[in-house]
Amino acid sequence: NLPFDFVEDEVFRRLCEVLGKRVAEISVNDLKNRMIKKKLEFSKVFGWILSREVVCISSDAWTAGDKTYLGVTYHWIDSKWRLQSLLVDIDLLEGRTTGDALSEKLEQAYAKR
């Protein structure tokens, strides 16, 4: 959970230089614009997916350190009979990982569409 301006931080830019990535040249506005563009692309694809007759929803929960995360993926067969998948959400699970908690997170992921 970093703010957008982390890409302009000197330490981050030095790390990118060491790794040989051009990411160090990105600005906060570049990052925001890229995210807005991806959201628009995602919205178009997501609308198309939901217009299909059958979409399978899968989820996976995992622990990293002392935190538990839930990923939600939609799967469908396209018009050329190829399996397609789209990761629609990754969220932190807080509290106990019960069936009710997982169900609530799945509903929240669907509502984000």
Side-chain angles (χ1 to χ4, degrees):
N1 292 345
L2 297 171
F4 285 147
D5 64 357
F6 82 95
V7 297
E8 294 179 346
D9 184 78
E10 182 182 338
V11 174
F12 177 77
R13 289 180 180 263
R14 277 190 277 151
L15 174 64
C16 290
E17 288 173 14
V18 168
L19 296 174
K21 303 287 182 187
R22 294 179 43 102
V23 178
E25 298 174 14
I26 194 169
S27 70
V28 172
N29 287 332
D30 290 338
L31 182 60
K32 287 179 183 176
N33 289 336
R34 287 180 187 187
M35 292 183 73
I36 289 168
K37 182 180 175 185
K38 285 294 179 188
K39 174 143 176 56
L40 291 173
E41 290 172 7
F42 176 80
S43 295
K44 289 177 187 175
V45 171
F46 202 74
W48 184 87
I49 292 170
L50 294 179
S51 72
R52 305 296 82 176
E53 291 183 21
V54 179
V55 174
C56 175
I57 302 172
S58 65
S59 63
D60 185 29
W62 68 94
T63 302
D66 62 344
K67 296 183 180 183
T68 302
Y69 298 89
L70 176 68
V72 179
T73 306
Y74 285 16
H75 310 275
W76 70 98
I77 304 295
D78 69 14
S79 61
K80 295 183 180 178
W81 290 93
R82 294 178 300 202
L83 176 63
Q84 302 290 328
S85 298
L86 178 68
L87 176 66
V88 295
D89 197 24
I90 295 178
D91 205 359
L92 179 66
L93 289 172
E94 299 181 274
R96 298 189 65 215
T97 311
T98 63
D100 289 338
L102 294 173
S103 174
E104 184 177 327
K105 286 294 184 183
L106 285 171
E107 287 176 16
Q108 289 172 1
Y110 180 76
K112 287 181 182 180
R113 62 174 175 42

